[in-house]
Amino acid sequence: IKSIVSYLNNIDNVENMLKRLLTNVRSSLEMLAQFIVPMVTAITASLGMFILNMLKTLGEQLDELMTMFSTGFLSGGGTGGATNIMDMIVGDMSQLIPLTVLQGIIGLYCIEVVVLISYLLSGVDNGFDKVAMDYSIGRNMIIAAAVYLGTFLIASFIFGGIVTDMVQTSGF
């Protein structure tokens, strides 16, 4: 009986020690799934939209500039074989990825990462219990979606304001 009690005490001690050691890992994974990944992907999506909007605005302004040159306003005559400058620099602007597709791809990546981290987190906590895993995935997805949406709206507002300010101050 003493050896059984000793064995059970040792198992309990090992389990407590493992829980203490995995506390940092668990909190890091939770922070990663609930805040860091959604925040980084939301900022990436809004920066992507910002860059695509800037390319569109740049293309429109360069087209207007080329129109001024080709009508003789600044050059005194037509430029001859002048084409769209943005097409020469970047390529065809109509072939850019739509903003909704960009948002979908980045959002799908965020979902995949949160699900994988939640799966791992559930395994660390509960030993890969299916119900606990589903609960962990659901809870982390709700928090991650809220953080993603909030961060995306704030970043889009900030970067959208930058685009409109730049267009208004450029005089075009």
Side-chain angles (χ1 to χ4, degrees):
I1 291 177
K2 279 185 171 185
S3 63
I4 292 173
V5 169
S6 174
Y7 177 73
L8 292 176
N9 283 337
N10 287 339
I11 288 177
D12 190 45
N13 290 339
V14 168
E15 185 177 344
N16 289 335
M17 184 177 61
L18 281 175
K19 283 184 181 182
R20 279 194 317 266
L21 290 173
L22 291 176
T23 301
N24 290 338
V25 172
R26 185 187 184 293
S27 64
S28 296
L29 286 173
E30 229 172 40
M31 180 70 75
L32 189 66
Q34 293 177 355
F35 296 107
I36 296 173
V37 168
M39 198 173 295
V40 168
T41 54
I43 291 172
T44 303
S46 62
L47 279 174
M49 290 179 66
F50 170 72
I51 290 170
L52 290 176
N53 283 333
M54 286 302 297
L55 286 174
K56 180 182 169 193
T57 304
L58 180 65
E60 291 170 355
Q61 290 182 356
L62 287 175
D63 281 344
E64 289 178 19
L65 184 64
M66 283 301 295
T67 303
M68 287 188 333
F69 277 118
S70 65
T71 59
F73 176 70
L74 295 175
S75 65
T79 58
T83 60
N84 187 348
I85 292 177
M86 202 62 191
D87 286 347
M88 291 187 298
I89 296 172
V90 177
D92 189 12
M93 292 297 288
S94 65
Q95 299 297 321
L96 287 177
I97 186 170
L99 299 178
T100 54
V101 174
L102 176 70
Q103 183 77 284
I105 291 169
I106 294 173
L108 184 63
Y109 172 77
C110 180
I111 290 170
E112 288 176 352
V113 171
V114 169
V115 167
L116 288 173
I117 291 172
S118 299
Y119 183 76
L120 181 62
L121 185 61
S122 176
V124 167
D125 284 345
N126 304 311
F128 298 101
D129 179 23
K130 177 73 174 149
V131 175
M133 181 183 63
D134 290 342
Y135 176 76
S136 176
I137 289 172
R139 183 174 50 89
N140 287 337
M141 282 303 301
I142 290 171
I143 295 170
V147 170
Y148 182 91
L149 181 63
T151 305
F152 179 76
L153 290 176
I154 291 169
S156 294
F157 178 72
I158 291 170
F159 293 130
I162 292 172
V163 172
T164 56
D165 287 345
M166 292 174 84
V167 170
Q168 289 173 356
T169 58
S170 67
F172 283 104

